[in-house]
Each structure stands twice: as structure tokens, then as C-alpha cells.
Amino acid sequence: MTQQQTSDWLNAGTVDDILHSAVRDDGRIREVLQKARELKGLDMADVAALCHIAAPEQIEELFATARRVKEEIYGHRMVLFAPLYISNVCGNECTYCAFRASNKALKRTALDMEGIKRDTAELVRQGHKRLLLVAGEGYSAANGGFRYVLDAIAAVYDVTDASGNIRRLNVNLAPFDVDEFRQLKQAGIGTYQLFQETYHRPTYAAVHTVGKKRDYDWRATALDRAMHAGIDDVGMGVLFGLHDWRFELLSLMQHIAHLEEVFGVGCHTISVPRIEPADHSDVSLAPPAPVSDLDFKKIIAILRLAVPYTGLILSTRESAAIRRECYALGVSQISAGSRTNPGGYSGEESAAGQFQLGDHRSLDEVVHELSTMGFIPSFCTACYRLGRTGQDFMDLAKPGLIKLKCDPNAVTTFQEYLIDYASESARCDGERAIDGELSGMSAKARKTSERMLARIRDGRRDVYC
């Protein structure tokens, strides 16, 4: 795709015009929030109106609507995963990132296949079933190039510990061409995830100064190439703090609308990272457009209303306190027990992480907290393995039918975790959470859940529908 083709659907002028012309009175806000309660999503003008909310009573109404929509679609489920960093070797100069090429203080590491397996095995022993593979953009003939990525995926899936294995590997990797994306698909990945970082071209150019990542349009069209290659679950995101968050939200909406127009389905997930301090990065310490905690919660709530069936991912960049406040506002997936340096789980590498973590708690601690807050931690990967992806997933999600699958799979995978990995205190509270969830299910979902739970308690594993 050329730059001209990109500008056909990604237009900064349109975003600015909609933002500046947005009607902001109480009547318009109430109209948008009522529309959001119908679970059909919002358009760019609706999102622009919500972006300007400032009055405390309007903010609370926004949050209340987001909580309602989140619970109606996702119930009490919260999907858990961990990032698996395999390499911090990178040829790009992203001024906000510790992995940037000019950071000579960083110890560079590209794990070999045994190192990848060691980290994977440690994550399996903690109870993880779903990982996100992450690597710097430093593939070259010297380290195996694209073959290194394919071998790493195979290495993760090859790990089988006494307590389990990784059932689905999503990837966050630099853009590829269509043929390479086809090979990723054949390797068995789940979601292909890529962040534009910022949709504001001047800011993008200012913070990406060296390397392949300088090419804004090659990155912006990567999800098109992935979907042309048959990867129908893609994830996008913005690194909030580089440019005005309102502009970024409306640009995300443009990108989603483009995917829906061309492929019939938008993104499967949206991630909402904020800039955090990174080793030897002045930009990360003083972001160009910092996002307050209140505005961050507004971002999550607005996205939940704008794209109600899209998963929202919250990482351990954020503190435990902020994460607690954001769960009910729209988040459906969270990482836990994360490390952002290659070899960080097995403890065999001393390389610094990509950025500073805000939540250092273990998976068990996060699981325990979620269950006491009324959530059901889910380790489910069933949709990927049964082909419920892309449009097929949306066809079940929009009429509410997916809950007949997701709710039983959530309690089943949670029960498996409680038996095989949980601390005693987490297990006790988790069992109570499962009992409470069963009592609120429809008769059909409860019957399915109880049948599957009985099999898990009898020693079966990986039971799903």
C-alpha cells in the first residue's frame, strides 16, 4: 500500500474537524450515552462529544454507562495473559523506548530456543495458558531473520510441563509483508498485535528517527497485510502520552472503520498503554502529551462504548490501584506477573526491561484479587482453537450468544487454575467466586458449566466448548 492509499482512510484533517465541531451540551451527551446503551457502538462524532466531557456529573454518567455495557457483554470474565519477551535487539530509534538502537547502556539479548523454552516453562508453572510474544525489530541474517520468529513460536508451543502447556500464543511483532504474515498464520498464532504508537504524523516522525519504523505508512497498513494473509484477529493500540489522546481516539476509530469496510470486521483487541519511564529515555520521563489518571479512565470508558464487542487490554504498565479502578470501566484482558526483559521469568538474563512496570504482583496475587472483586479470572483459548475468530466471533458476540460459550469456559479454566496452581487463600476465595458465578448464570449456561466443572474436578484438563 502506498502513502496515498493510506491517506484515503486515515485523515488528520477529518479528525481535527470532528473534534473541533463536536457538540458538547448536556442533551448531546445524554443522547450519545443512550445510544451506547443499545450496544451498537458509536461513530466518530459521538466519540468526539464524549472526549470533551469535563463536568463531574457527566463523567460519572459516562463511567456508569461503561460499567453497564461492560457487564452486559463480558459479564464478570477477565482474561489473563503474560508477555514473553524473546529479544531486545532493535534497529529502531524510538525515543521513548529502552530498546532503541542508541541505548548503549542496555545489555542486548536474543534468547536462543532453549532460553525461550525455559521462560515459557516458568510461565506454564505459574499457571499461564495464553502468552503474547514480543521482540525488538532486530531480525537479521545474523540471528536467523524471520526464521527466528517462526522457530520461537514453535519453541513456545513445544513446551509441555507436568502442569500444562501454552494453548495460544498471540504476537506483538514489527510489520511483515503478506507472505511472512501467511507464515505466521501457518505457525498457529492467535492475534497479531501492532501499535501505531501515534497517528499524528509530525509526532510520529519526531519520536521515530532511525530504522524501519520511521515509515509511518508501512506500519499503518500492516494490519491490512495481515488480514489479506488470512489473520482475521488483529489488535491495535496507541501509546498514550505522545500526542493529544482525543486525536488518537478518533484516529483509532478511522482505522477500525477502514478495516470494517475492507474486511467486514474490525480489530479483535485494543491496547491502551501509557508512556512509562524507560532506561535512558528523557521522553519517557516527560511525555509530550501526558494523560492524567482521570483522562485515562475516560479513554477506557469511551472505547468500551464506541466498540462494545472489542477486547480492551490493560497491561502491568499501570499501578495496581489504577488497574482496580479500570477493570469495571471496560477492560476485558489484563497481563499479570509480567516481565519485559528477555529471560526475565527464568532469571537467567540481567537485561533491563523495555519500560518500568507499575504492577509487580504475581499471577496468583492478581487472580486472588480479581475473585474477591467479583470477577472470574479466565484462561480460556477456546475460540482460537475452534475457529471462532474474526467475523465468526462477531456473529456470536453481537446477539449475545458468545456468553453461552465464554461463561462456561471461564469458570472451567479458572477451576483448573485453582486446582493446579493457586495458593490456599486464592483457592478458597476462587471456589466461592465460581459458586457465585454459577448462581447467576442462565439455566443452559449453568448446566454446561457444571458438566465441564465435574470433568475438571475428576482430573480432566483442557475441557472447553
Side-chain angles (χ1 to χ4, degrees):
M1 280 191 154
T2 66
Q3 181 169 331
Q4 181 59 43
Q5 287 173 305
T6 305
S7 63
D8 288 343
W9 54 267
L10 197 54
N11 191 303
T14 300
V15 169
D16 286 334
D17 289 345
I18 293 174
L19 273 175
H20 294 149
S21 63
V23 179
R24 314 176 190 186
D25 60 60
D26 288 349
R28 171 62 173 149
I29 298 304
R30 284 193 295 271
E31 174 188 288
V32 173
L33 294 178
Q34 178 55 43
K35 179 180 177 181
R37 294 185 191 105
E38 297 172 4
L39 309 182
K40 296 178 181 178
L42 303 176
D43 60 28
M44 289 179 65
D46 298 330
V47 170
L50 297 183
C51 283
H52 291 295
I53 284 179
E57 60 273 16
Q58 289 182 336
I59 292 173
E60 182 47 47
E61 189 173 358
L62 167 67
F63 289 173
T65 305
R67 293 185 193 103
R68 175 176 170 177
V69 170
K70 160 74 189 299
E71 181 156 347
E72 188 158 347
I73 293 175
Y74 289 91
H76 303 132
R77 304 186 306 276
M78 187 71 75
V79 173
L80 287 148
F81 73 96
L84 174 61
Y85 280 71
I86 62 171
S87 171
N88 61 10
V89 179
C90 193
N92 294 319
E93 186 63 20
C94 307
T95 57
Y96 48 82
C97 180
F99 290 177
R100 69 194 183 284
S102 67
N103 186 5
K104 305 303 181 184
L106 182 72
K107 178 183 176 182
R108 303 289 173 174
T109 301
L111 297 178
D112 61 19
M113 297 306 116
E114 290 306 311
I116 291 171
K117 289 181 179 181
R118 283 193 294 271
D119 259 21
T120 301
E122 177 55 35
L123 287 162
V124 169
R125 284 191 286 270
Q126 292 175 17
H128 281 290
K129 303 299 182 189
R130 177 194 301 231
L131 300 183
L132 175 68
L133 188 78
V134 187
E137 191 170 0
Y139 322 126
S140 67
N143 66 10
F146 181 65
R147 184 74 246 172
Y148 174 72
V149 172
L150 298 179
D151 289 345
I153 293 169
V156 171
Y157 280 136
D158 191 48
V159 172
T160 300
D161 188 84
S163 54
N165 64 300
I166 298 305
R167 296 170 183 167
R168 183 52 52 193
L169 181 65
N170 300 329
V171 300
N172 184 323
L173 300 169
F176 300 109
D177 61 33
V178 173
D179 181 63
E180 289 169 329
F181 275 124
R182 287 196 185 99
Q183 294 180 64
L184 278 185
K185 172 75 172 178
Q186 293 166 0
I189 67 163
T191 301
Y192 172 74
Q193 187 185 91
L194 184 72
F195 305 162
Q196 188 63 20
E197 316 294 13
T198 175
Y199 285 94
H200 188 248
R201 283 183 181 272
T203 300
Y204 189 96
V207 298
H208 303 110
T209 59
V210 173
K212 295 178 180 178
K213 198 170 177 177
R214 286 180 301 169
D215 190 336
Y216 178 105
D217 297 285
W218 176 250
R219 194 170 187 87
T221 56
L223 299 185
D224 288 70
R225 295 192 298 279
M227 295 185 84
H228 277 299
I231 299 174
D232 55 4
D233 267 10
V234 296
M236 61 177 64
V238 167
L239 182 56
F240 288 102
L242 292 177
H243 188 63
D244 179 32
W245 64 267
R246 300 164 186 84
F247 177 92
E248 305 289 18
L249 276 192
L250 264 69
S251 299
L252 269 173
M253 293 296 292
Q254 279 193 328
H255 201 162
I256 293 167
H258 164 70
L259 295 180
E260 290 176 339
E261 180 180 355
V262 176
F263 301 100
V265 63
C267 57
H268 185 66
T269 60
I270 296 175
S271 297
V272 290
R274 279 193 291 184
I275 293 180
E276 293 294 336
D279 184 43
H280 290 78
S281 167
D282 292 338
V283 170
S284 70
L285 298 175
V291 176
S292 69
D293 288 349
L294 178 59
D295 282 343
F296 185 63
K297 290 185 283 187
K298 286 162 64 176
I299 287 169
I300 291 171
I302 292 169
L303 281 172
R304 176 46 60 223
L305 303 184
V307 283
Y309 300 96
T310 298
L312 294 186
I313 300 176
L314 185 63
S315 78
T316 50
R317 285 174 179 264
E318 300 298 333
S319 69
I322 290 297
R323 278 163 47 108
R324 289 185 199 104
E325 293 180 42
C326 292
Y327 292 156
L329 294 177
V331 173
S332 57
Q333 297 185 28
I334 61 171
S335 53
S338 304
R339 300 291 183 272
T340 66
N341 56 307
Y345 297 106
S346 55
E348 297 189 18
E349 298 291 342
S350 58
Q354 186 182 21
F355 51 83
Q356 182 175 299
L357 295 175
D359 188 348
H360 298 270
R361 294 174 299 166
S362 68
L363 173 61
D364 188 77
E365 290 173 302
V366 173
V367 165
H368 192 183
E369 177 185 83
L370 287 170
S371 63
T372 59
M373 291 177 66
F375 294 100
I376 295 295
S378 173
F379 298 85
C380 179
T381 59
C383 284
Y384 292 111
R385 291 186 286 166
L386 291 173
R388 294 194 294 256
T389 59
Q391 188 60 53
D392 289 338
F393 175 83
M394 287 300 175
D395 288 343
L396 289 171
K398 290 182 178 180
L401 298 176
I402 197 66
K403 293 182 73 173
L404 295 175
K405 306 291 185 182
C406 292
D407 288 352
N409 288 333
V411 295
T412 302
T413 56
F414 185 30
Q415 180 69 79
E416 189 175 330
Y417 174 86
L418 293 176
I419 293 172
D420 293 344
Y421 309 101
S423 63
E424 184 59 31
S425 57
R427 184 178 299 112
C428 291
D429 286 326
E431 293 286 359
R432 281 192 287 270
I434 289 176
D435 289 342
E437 185 70 8
L438 290 172
S439 67
M441 285 184 181
S442 68
K444 184 174 181 180
R446 178 166 185 163
K447 183 177 180 180
T448 300
S449 299
E450 290 176 337
R451 183 179 67 249
M452 293 166 61
L453 285 168
R455 296 171 72 187
I456 293 294
R457 290 164 181 160
D458 284 343
R460 289 285 302 277
R461 294 293 178 267
D462 201 15
V463 177
Y464 57 92
C465 62

